[in-house]
Amino acid sequence: MRVYVPLTLHGLAEAHRTGQLGHGPFTAYAVTPALREWYVSDDIEELEYAALGRAALASLRLLAADPAAPRRRVVVAVDVADGAASAEPGRGPERDALGEVRLAGPVRLAKAAAVHVDAEDAEEDVAAAAQALDAADGGDDDARFVVDGAEDHELLWFATQEIPQLVA
């Protein structure tokens, strides 16, 4: 099963240093039944892209919580055993939980298939979106527009061998 782990560049540097993602139970995103139902598609590529988008939003939330992190969203795509990820039992089909899964423990970074990171030219929009996130969550339409501006930027694909250059 492919899962998408939201990080910041600082988090990616830590994963590169330690060789692992996560420290015990942690949240990732995947194609879950709720995501399938919400997205109304049977195309696995479209569903995985939707899960990647959910992880990118979670990365934006990590950026909002860490003002010192470079303003670039980071998502690591990792292949794990089917039973390694489970949907939160108490979370139903609520929109905020779509695609959310829990991994019981750390995952070796060596299992990563790819890393997705914003281009440098997205930093200004991502910074504005991180700052507007709380207001957008509160229903502010102007703030939602700013957050959507970050989502307009496609995450770039990087091979895992490129992680040292990304975190340098």
Side-chain angles (χ1 to χ4, degrees), residues 17-65:
R17 188 183 67 71
T18 64
Q20 69 181 30
L21 295 163
H23 295 90
F26 67 98
T27 302
Y29 293 82
V31 177
T32 62
L35 182 72
R36 243 182 233 280
E37 185 177 321
W38 173 75
Y39 201 74
V40 192
S41 176
D42 288 330
D43 184 329
I44 192 64
E45 287 183 16
E46 286 182 18
L47 291 166
E48 286 184 348
Y49 185 76
L52 172 66
R54 303 296 298 164
L57 179 58
S59 176
L60 184 64
R61 292 187 184 288
L62 293 173
L63 290 172

Side-chain angles (χ1 to χ4, degrees), residues 83-121:
S86 61
E88 285 285 341
R91 310 261 326 238
E94 57 198 62
R95 192 176 193 317
D96 289 344
L98 289 172
E100 191 173 292
V101 295
R102 294 291 282 172
L103 294 165
V107 175
R108 291 180 339 137
L109 186 59
K111 294 205 176 258
V115 180
H116 303 272
V117 181
D118 276 310
E120 287 182 22
D121 67 355

Side-chain angles (χ1 to χ4, degrees), residues 118-141:
D118 276 310
E120 287 182 22
D121 67 355
E123 287 183 5
E124 186 176 321
D125 288 340
V126 170
Q131 192 169 9
L133 200 53
D134 283 342
D137 288 344
D140 183 317
D141 288 337

Side-chain angles (χ1 to χ4, degrees), residues 28 110 163:
I163 291 174

Side-chain angles (χ1 to χ4, degrees), residues 76-93:
V76 179
V78 184
D79 294 319
V80 298
D82 285 341
S86 61
E88 285 285 341
R91 310 261 326 238

